[in-house]
Amino acid sequence: MFAAPVLYDGDAEPQRLEGRRIAIIGYGSQGHAHARNLADRGMDVRVGLREGSRSWAAAEAAGLRVMSVAAAAAEADAIMMLAPDTEQQRIYDRDIAPSMRPGTTLWFAHGFNVHFNLIAPPDGVDVALIAPKSPGHRVREVFTQGGGVPGLIAVAQDASGAAREDALAYAWAIGCTRAGVIETSFAEETETDLFGEQAVLCGGVSALVKAGFDTLVEAGYRPEMAYFECLHELKLIVDLMYQGGLNYMRYSVSDTAEYGDYIAGPRIVTAQTKEAMRQLLANIRSGEFAKTWVAENDVGRPHFTAARLADADHPIEQVGVRLRALMPFLDARVVRPDMGVANLAGVSLADRSAVATAT
């Protein structure tokens, strides 16, 4: 039983967006999906980008109106902020704040900047959140197939008295109400999102995979075997969880694997691990993580860049590049040292090996 109702197409009032001039700020993962889905719904949408942006031509090629951020903000009466978290405050202060006037709507897909008071919209402005729970390419892909991805909505400031209804209409426009939308708050969305990324989805899983790989290799097992057991097969398990939760995963694997789950899991994720998670959450809730991350960006990301380069050189990455290049069924990607990405889809097996060797 859900504590809050799940909202669908029938709960939304799409007509609320008719005649609204909507500006999408940014054309990255989420930006391109929102802008194109809105356009397909017949909305009056324009994209705001910095001068010289590499995304400018791509947005125009998609048939969208593109202009500077300041021009888009001045023209629009509803603005969706989809630039990276660490750039939003600067963009808002310089290009958007001058256009904030009573009756304007300011939307976000992540509550970071509002919740941690980096952006403080003036009175008289609606401030709401519409957050698809999926990467942008899936928001677009599933929409074009007639479906949608689940989403969240929240209201931080309701000057008009209809901020919630407008947010739900926007969720309809990008397809989220096809899958279901849950109401939340800026605080809950921001804090749970950051915690999930750090403790489980990115930080926790990455560290666990590397530790398992290192343990096997240090014990004398071949790196290729360690890669398959600790990284490659992870997708099989996660797909089962995605379909039916932990119980379906356990139902689908062997009894030996299920027994190992019960006796070994608690030895890996211990009381000390849970305490570390609590500390991570406290750090997020207090705003200390946001403060540290903003400060890191202000000085040019030295620690972030060093960590990125160090992990790119981890043996599991080197082994993985070689093995994935030998899997023609896989839509493989190779991240190069300059952090560019090469797509191996459609590349011959011989050429795949050459790409992998050159990385």
Side-chain angles (χ1 to χ4, degrees):
M1 180 71 68
F2 286 106
V6 181
L7 305 169
Y8 295 99
D9 281 354
D11 298 301
E13 302 173 38
Q15 68 273 15
R16 299 195 62 84
L17 298 185
E18 291 178 4
R20 302 287 290 275
R21 295 165 297 181
I22 302 172
I24 301 297
I25 308 303
Y27 198 73
S29 174
Q30 289 290 335
H32 92 278
H34 288 230
R36 297 189 68 181
N37 290 6
L38 288 168
D40 285 353
R41 292 285 204 183
M43 302 300 167
D44 181 5
V45 61
R46 72 273 297 128
V47 176
L49 296 174
R50 62 176 174 77
E51 300 290 347
S53 169
R54 290 182 296 178
S55 299
W56 196 294
E60 287 187 330
L64 298 163
R65 291 181 60 217
V66 187
M67 58 191 70
S68 70
V69 173
E75 185 174 289
D77 48 33
I79 300 165
M80 170 55 92
M81 292 287 287
L82 294 173
D85 288 335
T86 53
E87 296 180 21
Q88 285 190 14
Q89 182 184 25
R90 174 182 54 80
I91 292 171
Y92 176 83
D93 290 344
R94 185 189 65 197
D95 297 324
I96 296 175
S99 296
M100 288 290 98
R101 56 194 180 274
T104 301
T105 296
L106 187 60
W107 288 317
F108 295 83
H110 182 35
F112 186 95
N113 277 273
V114 171
H115 178 55
F116 293 120
N117 300 312
L118 299 171
I119 292 177
D123 295 338
V125 171
D126 281 354
V127 182
L129 170 88
I130 306 97
K133 299 309 294 177
S134 170
H137 73 275
R138 287 292 291 166
V139 175
R140 177 60 183 165
E141 180 183 15
V142 176
F143 179 89
T144 61
Q145 295 168 350
V149 303
L152 305 173
I153 61 169
V155 175
Q157 191 164 289
D158 188 8
S160 71
R164 173 189 178 274
E165 289 73 17
D166 287 348
L168 189 58
Y170 186 98
W172 172 89
I174 62 173
C176 288
T177 53
R178 290 173 174 174
V181 170
I182 296 175
E183 292 187 67
T184 182
S185 67
F186 272 66
E188 185 176 53
E189 185 276 335
T190 303
E191 292 168 3
T192 57
D193 184 77
L194 292 174
F195 176 80
E197 291 167 352
Q198 293 177 26
V200 181
L201 304 177
C202 301
V205 168
S206 296
L208 184 64
V209 166
K210 288 187 295 182
F213 176 90
D214 290 343
T215 299
L216 287 176
V217 172
E218 289 163 5
Y221 297 97
R222 287 176 293 169
E224 293 81 3
M225 292 297 295
Y227 172 86
F228 276 114
E229 295 302 329
C230 296
L231 190 152
H232 182 79
E233 292 191 25
L234 184 62
K235 181 183 185 308
L236 308 178
I237 300 301
V238 171
D239 282 349
L240 294 172
M241 293 181 183
Y242 185 84
Q243 287 180 286
L246 297 175
N247 284 337
Y248 181 65
M249 178 273 290
R250 290 167 176 149
Y251 168 82
S252 301
V253 300
S254 70
D255 287 352
T256 304
E258 183 178 357
Y259 180 64
D261 178 343
Y262 298 139
I263 66 167
R267 297 177 63 185
I268 300 299
V269 179
T270 63
Q272 289 78 15
T273 309
K274 287 287 294 293
E275 179 55 32
M277 288 183 172
R278 294 188 189 98
Q279 292 174 10
L280 283 175
L281 182 57
N283 195 50
I284 290 167
R285 296 177 72 177
S286 70
E288 188 59 31
F289 167 75
K291 179 181 176 181
T292 301
W293 178 222
V294 170
E296 171 75 4
N297 280 270
D298 287 344
V299 296
R301 299 185 169 192
H303 301 296
F304 174 88
T305 301
R308 173 184 275 178
L309 292 174
D311 260 27
D313 286 335
H314 190 282
I316 197 171
E317 289 299 291
Q318 307 308 314
V319 173
V321 167
R322 295 198 304 271
L323 290 177
R324 289 189 295 272
L326 301 176
M327 302 176 189
F329 59 87
L330 187 64
D331 186 15
R333 302 290 195 275
V334 177
V335 179
R336 297 188 178 280
D338 61 358
M339 307 318 290
V341 178
N343 185 351
L344 299 187
V347 178
S348 70
L349 194 58
D351 289 341
R352 278 172 169 248
S353 299
V355 171
T357 302
T359 301

